[in-house]
Structures are given as C-alpha cells and as structure tokens.
Amino acid sequence: MTKDANNGGDDGMPARQNGSARCNAGPAVPPPVRFRRMAALLLLVWVVLLRFAGVAVAAESGGGPLLLGPSTASATLAGHFARLVDPERKLDFADILNADAEGRMEPREDFRGAGQTRDIHWYRFDLMRETGAPADWFLEMGEAYIDHLDLFIPKATAATGRPREPGAYRLVRLGDFVPFSQRPMKTRLHAVALTLPEGKPVSLYLRVDSVSAIRLSARMWAPAAYAGHQTTDLLFQGLFLGVLGILALGYAALGLLLRDGALLAYSGYVATVSCYYLFANGIGAALLPDMPGWFMNMMVGSSGFLGFAAGLLMWVYILDLQSRAPWLRRCFQGLALLTLLMLPTTVSPLYALANPLVTVSALVVVVIALVLTARMAWLNPDDLTPRFYLGSTLISLGGLLLTQMSLRGILPADFAIADPYQICSMLAVLVLGTGLTLRIGRMQAERLRAREESAFATKRAEEQRSFVAMLSHEFRTPLASIDSAAQMIELSGAVEEPSVLTRLERIRSTTRKMAELVDLFLSADALDQGALALKPEPVALGQLMEEVLGGLTGTEAEERLELSVETPDRPLLVDAPFLGVAIGNLVQNALRYSPPRTPVRVTAGGGGGGIFIRVADRGRGMSPDEVERIGSIYFRASSSRGTKGSGLGLYMTQKIVAAHGGTLAVESVRDEGSVFTIRIPDGGGQLQVPERLAAQ
C-alpha cells in the first residue's frame, strides 16, 4: 500500500495457523480438488474482468468529439481525446497548440496508466453539445492524488473548435497541490463546471504532472446525475473508512486485552490502510481544506510505507515465523526497518525511486505469503483459519495485480466501476479479520484447556506432597528403631572388634542423615519455598570424599570405584551431610547403571576459584535431549529402563548443588557413558554465615 495508488504498493493480507472447526455441510473435498476449484474460480473472474474491459473499450471508442445529448447523464471521454507525452518537460501550452495543429497529438481509444514517471502528459478533450441538450456540464477527472492538473478552457468570447492562440484559453488549476479551499468545485475528485455552446465542437487541453503514478480518467456529467453520483460515492467511501476504523479500534482493544502481537499488528495495518485511502481518495483534502500539496503527498506516501511495514510484522506474527522460519522473520523485519528509513523520501524527488522498490517488494512478499498460507491450508485440512488467510492473500494479490496492470497501461484506467484495489483491500481485511476471530476462539479454548490442566497438575502436586509428607513422617519410627538398636549394641559391650564398631557408627551416622532429610521434607517452608536449610562448616576435600564413600568399604562396589583426590587438604565451607548426599547419588547412579565389573572413576580437585567433583561411568549414556532434562523431577533417561529408581536422586542433587552456589554439568554419549561434574565456588557460594538459602 503505497502512494502508487491504489498505487499497488500494499503487501496483501496475511495468515496464521489455529482455528479448528470442521465443515460438516456436505461431503469432504480433498485439498487438491479445493485448490483446483479455487484456481478455476479466480481464472473465471479474470476472464470476466478482461472481457468487461474489452467490451467497455469497444463501446466507447467511436472517435471524434463526445456527443452530449438531452438524455446523456454521464459519459466517459475514452475514445474522444488525443495525447502527447513530453519526456523532456520543456513544452509550454503554445508548443502544444502548434504540435496539435501539425497533427502530432495521438488520438487514443481509452485511458491508460503511465506508471510512476516524471514525463508530462498533455491531453486534448473533444466535446460537442447536441441540440436540445443542457448547456451546463461537469467535467470530473481523477485520480485524486495526482499533483497537478492544469486545464485550458476556451474563453466564452473565443471561437468554438480549437483556437491556435494561448490567449484564447483560460487556465483552471486543479490537482492535489491546489488546496481544497481554492478549487473551483469542492468535490473528492477534481471537477470543473463547463458551459458548452449548442451544436459546436469544443476542445479542452489538460497538462498532467505528478510525482505519483499517472492514471488519468475523465468523465462528463449532467448536473443532476453528478449530484446523485456524489451522494453514492461519498456513501461508499464513508462505509469503507467506517468499516476499517471499526476493525482497527476493535482489534486493537482485543490485542491489548489478550496481549497478542498478531492482533495489534493487524489493527496497525488496518489503521494505515484507512489513513492511506483517507488521503489518496481525496477525503483528507476535504477535511483539511487549507493543507498544502506536499503535506498530502507525505500523508499518502508515508501511510503507504507504514502499511507495508505493519503488514510485514503482521506476517511475522500470523505465520509464526519466529519458530517456523527464523531466517524469513529476520528478512521481513529488516525489510520493514528499511521501509521505515525510506519515509523521508515521500516529500522528496527520491520518492519516484523508493515507491516502485516498495511496490515490487510488496508483490514478492504477497507471493511468499501465498505459498506459506497454501502450505498451511494443505497441512491442516481440518483447520478453517489458514483457509481464511489464504483467501485473504488471494484477494489482495488479485487486487494488487489488477491495479498494477491498470497503472502500467496493460488494462484501461477506467476498466472497472470502482477502484479494484480499494475493493480488494476491504474484502481482504474482512476475510483476514474473520480468520483472526477464529484464531481468537481457538486461543481461548487452548487457554481454558491449559488452565484446567494446570489446576489438575496443581491438585496432583498437592496430593503428592501430602503423601510424601505422610510417608516421611512414617519413616521416623523405623529410623529411630535402627538408631536405638545400633546404640544398644554399641553400649552392650558385646562387640569389641574395631571394624564392627566402625560400621555401627556409620549406621548411626547414616540414620541421623536420613532423619535430617525427613525433617527437611516435613518443613513447610522448604516445601513451599523450595529452600534448603544449609549449615556450612569447614571441611577438607579429602575428608569429605572419605566420609561420602566410606560406606562402600568392603563391598563389591569398592572394587569398581577408582577414587582420585588431587588436593585432599583443600579447605571447604559447605554443608557436608547435604553435599555428601549429592555426591553419593551420583556415585550410586554410576554404579547402578554401568555394566557389572566396569570401573567408576571419581575425581576431586580444586582450581579456577573453586572445587570440582567428577563422576565418570561407562554406562549406556543418554541422548542430547535427555541430557537437557537432567535434574527435572521424576525424569529418568531411556537407558535406565529395567533398573529401579524414582527420578528424585538427580533432582535432589541439583538442588543441593545450586544451594551451594554451584552447578551440575552433564556430558554423555550413547553407548559410551556419562560424566557428571559438580563445581562449587570458593566459600560455597558465599556461605560464610549459616542461613537458609534458596535452592532454586
């Protein structure tokens, strides 16, 4: 949507997925059949339009002056004019009169657009009022956005026909650069009243000069018919702008309410379309009667450029390019930025270069959107929304092509009753709005379903937490019994062997550790806030590893374990029991998930402002996707199938490490094993003062 009209610089209407209703009004039609039918319908429309254009030209191309009879209400000047193009912009009116006398003005059968050109176009209109016809007539010319229309009319005292002296003509200046308040007739298009002699031919000369695309048409009106035409025309323009305004405001409110970028981009696009036609069709000049022409050019050009940029952003959201095609999203966003940077050209001669560039870009974007929306409709045959997006794109593309064909002279300038691009723009916006409405309905349904799923998940989590709290409470009794039994054996004196006494002490230490974990689970604050009550104490790295792995002494696991502590005297400030649980979980997992009799290597050391503890196994390994999910509650990799486990060990390990200000890293390759590395900064993540720290 640029100043090139209805200048064809718009990007068409977009698309997005979503929407779900299935059409049940008849048998299902396969996608290929639907597309063939749609293509056939579009071809039929094109044939009818072209046929209509040809019939219109044949009906009007009679040659000679336009005869205005008593029953004539309206008649086009197509077929009753001649044209001369001045590419060097040097000819004045006297030169044109001489050129016409020499026969250098070419008779034309229809009005054809010349595109965006700096050539000056001269026209000669030939009229004749028949006997009995009224003397007063109105000459109306368009488009409204043409900058300069200088009309030379024979003076009343001059002879009829074609006087050869410039002084025999009076000049009436029209065009977008003439303020509305200074025009001879206050109408949307450029009009002038004529009084014609009876039965004598009259020739008028018109000079056309515009920075915008030149697409001229001219028509004669009887006064009564012109009044009725103005009423109908203004009613249509008011309806058109009213529909666009309601859509822009309504969808802007919905976009803000739902915080949806697609709706906001759509409302912005519709607003720019409305602004463009407000000034391109001459309504804005009537509302601002004293504004200069450069301001009108700026409003038309800038609203066109802004509309194209808004359309590009709309495509990004509706087609979900951020996730589906990031490279295309960047291209669209870059093109939108470039278009915004070209806004100053709308009031400079560079507009003649910038506007065609935007128009071609818009055509390319519409074609890309057509392909993408067709693909969406093909892949989602049960989703109605992409069909509306596709229909909107097809309508917009049809209007864009028809307008460009008219602007470039392929079709007559007045081949249709109304501006095809204006009609197609309104239809495309309405169809697209319908698709977005379906999208809103689906989004609401998905949000409701997500809310229900969230409520179910919350309820389930509450039940699980209650169960864990109850189960943890029941653990206290057996733990207390185990601790009491070990204490009684120790105090009875029946056992004197040092190794057995050591094992009794380990039993009691492990029991106390389990009791502390039970207290943690039963802590309402820990459950609600996800916090661990850490009690950091000084401990040497070697001592920590010995306490963690000491329970494996004398077992088969000890034979598989390869422990290497590089800096055993390295001092730490950590919660040894909790950190021991984290390290023990990693070691137990490595032993459990590795093949029997394969070694598990545990390495600990310091460096880089902290310590590391690495556990490496030769198990079945994990995929990259599974590695990313390590630490999620209840998650177990596919390689753990057939092995007992709950998926809580690594979750608790990650929480404990995070509470110490550290990180848990995982490296794993399928069928080669996994390496888990705990890294804790010096001071345990600033744990110098015992306090409750968040674990996440």
Side-chain angles (χ1 to χ4, degrees):
M1 181 187 63
T2 66
K3 188 182 175 183
D4 226 2
N6 324 14
N7 288 353
D10 185 21
D11 65 311
M13 296 296 114
R16 182 178 181 120
Q17 57 193 27
N18 292 333
S20 60
R22 179 188 294 272
C23 180
N24 296 319
V29 181
V33 177
R34 289 199 300 269
F35 291 146
R36 286 197 296 269
R37 290 180 179 178
M38 185 176 297
L41 179 60
L42 288 175
L43 180 61
L44 178 62
V45 172
W46 275 88
V47 171
V48 171
L49 288 173
L50 292 176
R51 179 65 179 166
F52 170 75
V55 171
V57 171
E60 298 291 350
S61 58
L66 173 63
L67 300 179
L68 302 174
S71 61
T72 302
S74 170
T76 177
L77 280 163
H80 308 284
F81 72 96
R83 188 185 70 172
L84 177 65
V85 179
D86 176 18
E88 297 182 356
R89 304 173 58 87
K90 294 181 178 180
L91 301 179
D92 58 15
F93 184 43
D95 297 328
I96 295 300
L97 291 177
N98 292 332
D100 191 19
E102 296 171 0
R104 287 191 285 134
M105 294 198 76
E106 177 188 5
R108 306 283 294 183
E109 292 186 349
D110 51 43
F111 292 102
R112 298 273 173 168
Q116 196 155 6
T117 176
R118 295 301 293 140
D119 298 347
I120 294 178
H121 289 65
W122 288 88
Y123 294 84
R124 187 194 72 231
F125 299 140
D126 300 320
L127 310 169
M128 189 171 73
R129 167 195 165 200
E130 293 182 328
T131 303
D136 295 328
W137 295 86
F138 294 143
L139 170 62
E140 183 184 61
M141 296 170 291
E143 299 287 339
Y145 57 80
I146 296 177
D147 293 341
H148 302 283
L149 294 168
D150 297 337
L151 183 64
F152 297 87
I153 306 173
K155 295 180 180 178
T157 57
T160 58
R162 302 174 188 169
R164 300 306 177 197
E165 296 296 329
Y169 295 83
R170 62 185 178 92
L171 173 62
V172 178
R173 295 191 182 276
L174 303 168
D176 199 28
F177 268 54
V178 177
F180 190 82
S181 60
Q182 300 177 21
R183 298 178 188 178
M185 293 184 65
K186 308 301 186 289
T187 56
R188 183 178 69 86
L189 297 180
H190 307 290
V192 63
L194 299 175
T195 301
L196 303 177
E198 186 177 32
K200 297 180 180 180
V202 175
S203 293
L204 313 176
Y205 291 87
L206 178 68
R207 180 182 183 274
V208 181
D209 181 16
S210 182
V211 72
S212 308
I214 294 179
R215 183 175 64 175
L216 178 74
S217 61
R219 178 174 289 270
M220 295 297 297
W221 291 89
Y226 190 62
H229 164 70
Q230 287 293 300
T231 301
T232 304
D233 180 63
L234 292 177
L235 179 62
F236 167 75
Q237 298 296 334
L239 177 64
F240 174 81
L241 295 175
V243 169
L244 293 185
I246 292 173
L247 287 175
L249 293 176
Y251 279 90
L254 279 176
L256 292 174
L257 180 64
L258 301 177
R259 297 181 180 179
D260 186 79
L263 296 180
L264 292 175
Y266 170 78
S267 61
Y269 171 72
V270 175
T272 58
V273 172
S274 178
C275 181
Y276 170 80
Y277 280 108
L278 180 68
F279 288 93
N281 285 352
I283 305 299
L287 298 176
L288 303 171
D290 296 318
M291 284 296 170
W294 66 265
F295 177 80
M296 297 299 173
N297 272 3
M298 180 186 70
M299 294 303 298
V300 174
S302 60
S303 59
F305 283 11
L306 288 173
F308 179 54
L312 287 168
L313 296 180
M314 182 172 59
W315 282 115
V316 170
Y317 283 108
I318 291 181
L319 291 176
D320 194 18
L321 297 182
Q322 183 171 0
S323 59
R324 295 178 177 271
W327 63 270
L328 187 58
R329 173 184 65 87
R330 291 190 291 271
C331 291
F332 277 22
Q333 290 177 338
L335 186 56
L337 178 60
L338 179 62
T339 303
L340 295 178
L341 294 177
M342 289 192 293
L343 282 176
T345 64
T346 58
V347 290
S348 72
L350 293 176
Y351 182 71
L353 298 175
N355 189 54
L357 179 62
V358 172
T359 301
V360 173
S361 301
L363 182 60
V364 172
V365 169
V366 172
V367 172
I368 293 175
L370 180 63
V371 174
L372 294 178
T373 52
R375 182 175 181 272
M376 288 174 59
W378 178 277
L379 296 177
N380 301 277
D382 297 330
D383 190 352
L384 290 177
T385 307
R387 301 183 193 178
F388 282 95
Y389 297 154
L390 177 60
S392 174
T393 308
L394 288 172
I395 294 172
S396 182
L397 179 61
L400 178 59
L401 292 177
L402 286 175
T403 301
Q404 287 300 316
M405 292 172 70
S406 176
L407 282 171
R408 311 305 168 187
I410 301 175
L411 291 176
D414 54 355
F415 79 100
I417 298 174
D419 179 6
Y421 193 72
Q422 184 174 2
I423 298 296
C424 289
S425 293
M426 183 169 66
L427 291 178
V429 165
L430 290 173
V431 172
L432 178 61
T434 304
L436 288 175
T437 301
L438 294 177
R439 174 180 170 274
I440 293 172
R442 180 160 185 173
M443 287 175 57
Q444 292 298 97
E446 290 177 349
R447 289 182 180 180
L448 179 61
R449 183 167 58 252
R451 190 178 298 114
E452 292 175 350
E453 292 176 353
S454 176
F456 176 76
T458 301
K459 181 180 179 181
R460 184 177 178 181
E462 289 291 338
E463 293 175 351
Q464 288 178 341
R465 193 173 70 175
S466 299
F467 175 75
V468 170
M470 180 181 63
L471 191 61
S472 300
H473 183 272
E474 294 301 319
F475 279 162
R476 281 184 167 181
T477 299
L479 289 175
S481 299
I482 293 173
D483 184 57
S484 297
Q487 186 179 20
M488 291 298 297
I489 293 174
E490 184 179 8
L491 295 176
S492 66
V495 177
E496 297 181 356
E497 188 175 345
S499 60
V500 176
L501 292 174
T502 301
R503 291 194 177 188
L504 286 174
E505 180 59 32
R506 285 176 181 167
I507 291 174
R508 296 198 63 191
S509 175
T510 303
T511 303
R512 286 193 297 270
K513 188 182 300 181
M514 291 297 297
E516 291 177 356
L517 289 176
V518 168
D519 291 337
L520 169 66
F521 282 121
L522 293 177
S523 171
D525 185 48
L527 289 173
D528 293 337
Q529 306 298 329
L532 297 178
L534 299 181
K535 298 178 180 178
E537 297 176 352
V539 62
L541 179 60
Q543 178 185 353
L544 174 66
M545 300 305 297
E546 182 179 352
E547 292 179 355
V548 171
L549 304 178
L552 300 177
T553 304
T555 64
E556 180 184 354
E558 183 183 18
E559 299 177 359
R560 298 172 54 192
L561 203 62
E562 298 179 0
L563 175 62
S564 173
V565 182
E566 299 175 358
T567 54
D569 297 330
R570 175 69 182 264
L572 305 176
L573 183 63
V574 296
D575 189 311
F578 271 125
L579 189 56
V581 170
I583 300 171
N585 284 338
L586 297 182
V587 174
Q588 292 293 344
N589 283 346
L591 293 169
R592 183 183 300 119
Y593 297 123
S594 297
R597 292 183 296 277
T598 58
V600 172
R601 179 171 297 176
V602 180
T603 307
I611 61 112
F612 70 88
I613 301 168
R614 184 175 296 113
V615 180
D617 63 53
R618 297 181 184 178
R620 285 172 281 182
M622 295 174 288
S623 67
D625 292 338
E626 291 175 328
V627 169
E628 291 182 0
R629 297 185 60 188
I630 287 297
S632 300
I633 190 169
Y634 302 126
F635 171 73
R636 301 186 72 203
S638 59
S639 58
S640 65
R641 293 173 184 172
T643 307
K644 294 182 179 180
S646 63
L648 289 172
L650 289 178
Y651 172 76
M652 179 60 70
T653 296
Q654 188 178 58
K655 293 296 183 184
I656 293 173
V657 172
H660 284 82
T663 59
L664 174 64
V666 185
E667 300 176 11
S668 185
V669 179
R670 279 287 190 187
D671 301 323
E672 294 185 13
S674 304
V675 178
F676 290 79
T677 303
I678 295 175
R679 295 187 181 277
I680 297 179
D682 285 337
Q686 306 300 323
L687 294 180
Q688 288 79 3
V689 180
E691 57 183 1
R692 183 176 297 272
L693 296 178
Q696 58 183 10

